[in-house]
Amino acid sequence: MHEPTRTRTTEPARHGDPVLYPTAIRQPAMPLAELPPGVEIVTLPGGYRTLAYTQPAAPGPAPVGQPIPAWAKTTALLAPTLGGGIAAAGFGISYAAPGLIAMTDALWAAITLIAAGTLAPLLLRAGRGPGRGTGPVQHVTQHITASGMFGRASGTLNNH
């Protein structure tokens, strides 16, 4: 049998059809910078590029920026405040350092005064010895009695 012969077409290619061979697209002769307002190069569904009048795009609403989150504002406000506080603390410590040194010296002096006041009577008693006292120790005894809650109290005093 006889096979049919295949012919090659010179028709323009359909968009996305791999069997047909597209024809070459001619570029416009006019430079793009010279196009009048409202004229643009458009690509047609068949793949051709041509000049066409276009409608001007309607001005849409201006893009609205998203608001800044509250945590970002708080962080941005706290950062210089915290840094300033740290700087102020550093300056304060540098100015207070001589006073702090003097205060520690005064505290050590107060501690030695308290220690001397506590230890002095003990050392004086230890230095007297057994026979150098002011005399014999006196004992006093009291007996107090009262009758009733609001009764008058009476008592006796005994010296030994």
Side-chain angles (χ1 to χ4, degrees):
M1 292 225 47
H2 188 289
E3 283 188 29
T5 59
R6 295 187 178 189
T7 58
R8 212 170 169 187
T9 63
T10 56
E11 300 173 1
R14 293 183 305 223
H15 186 67
D17 190 354
V19 176
L20 298 175
Y21 300 98
T23 58
I25 299 174
R26 288 182 290 230
Q27 299 295 325
M30 181 184 293
L32 294 177
E34 295 179 7
L35 290 177
V39 175
E40 292 183 21
I41 297 177
V42 295
T43 305
L44 299 175
Y48 287 108
R49 289 177 55 187
T50 184
L51 293 175
Y53 288 104
T54 58
Q55 297 292 328
V64 178
Q66 296 199 358
I68 298 173
W71 65 266
K73 288 180 185 178
T74 305
T75 304
L77 291 174
L78 282 179
T81 305
L82 184 63
I86 292 172
F91 282 122
I93 289 173
S94 69
Y95 283 122
L100 291 174
I101 293 170
M103 195 181 318
T104 56
D105 292 343
L107 286 173
W108 279 116
I111 289 171
T112 49
L113 182 64
I114 292 169
T118 305
L119 294 176
L122 296 175
L123 293 175
L124 288 176
R125 284 186 193 155
R128 273 193 239 164
R132 302 186 202 156
T134 58
V137 178
Q138 243 183 346
H139 295 283
V140 177
T141 308
Q142 287 184 330
H143 297 285
I144 300 173
T145 57
S147 58
M149 183 180 248
F150 297 107
R152 188 172 181 160
S154 63
T156 59
L157 183 63
N158 300 323
N159 282 328
H160 297 276

